[in-house]
Amino acid sequence: MPDDPLSLTFAALADPTRRAILARLAEGEATVNELAEPFDMSLQAVSKHLKVLERAGLISRGRDAQWRPCRLETAPLDGASEWIRRYRDRWDDRFDRLDREIRRLRPGSDTDG
């Protein structure tokens, strides 16, 4: 598996459980127990998901006495959003050109000679 930041981000986001964990962390910090609550899986399974998210830089874990909160880190999401935006812009431009060409080729269009 590639270990560049963008690949790690997209791999982490590929799993619905991890996306749900990130959605929960978008509301604020949470412990592993709090994050595991809505899922029908062991704490160990949730911890494995958290490790994937942490490796991708999408979460960080702190320490406050006995409380070990997880928090969302948005920088990798910003990088993924930028990558998607570049390609969306490129495809939007291609679709606009295709639309103009289809209109030009349509019988009865005002661009017919």
Side-chain angles (χ1 to χ4, degrees):
M1 175 185 200
D3 62 356
D4 65 281
L6 194 57
S7 295
L8 291 172
T9 298
F10 282 124
L13 294 173
D15 184 89
T17 299
R18 291 192 287 267
R19 291 192 306 269
I21 289 170
L22 292 176
R24 166 55 185 86
L25 290 174
E27 298 171 8
E29 295 180 349
T31 64
V32 175
N33 286 335
E34 291 168 334
L35 293 170
E37 220 169 77
F39 302 107
D40 186 25
M41 64 178 70
S42 68
L43 281 177
Q44 183 180 13
V46 171
S47 289
K48 286 182 181 183
H49 284 293
L50 293 175
K51 285 179 185 171
V52 171
L53 293 169
E54 193 170 23
R55 182 167 183 251
L58 291 164
I59 68 165
S60 61
R61 297 191 209 199
R63 175 171 251 143
D64 184 9
Q66 295 299 318
W67 194 57
R68 298 212 41 187
C70 296
R71 66 184 59 83
L72 180 65
E73 299 294 340
T74 60
L77 294 173
D78 294 339
S81 294
E82 176 60 26
W83 186 87
I84 291 168
R85 187 198 56 75
R86 277 194 309 258
Y87 284 92
R88 184 183 59 225
D89 291 349
R90 188 175 296 169
W91 280 103
D92 284 346
D93 180 57
R94 288 179 182 178
F95 284 131
D96 288 345
R97 285 186 289 157
L98 179 61
D99 189 50
R100 286 191 300 271
E101 186 65 13
I102 290 170
R103 289 174 195 265
R104 187 185 70 75
L105 296 173
R106 236 185 232 152
S109 71
D110 55 11
T111 58
D112 281 348

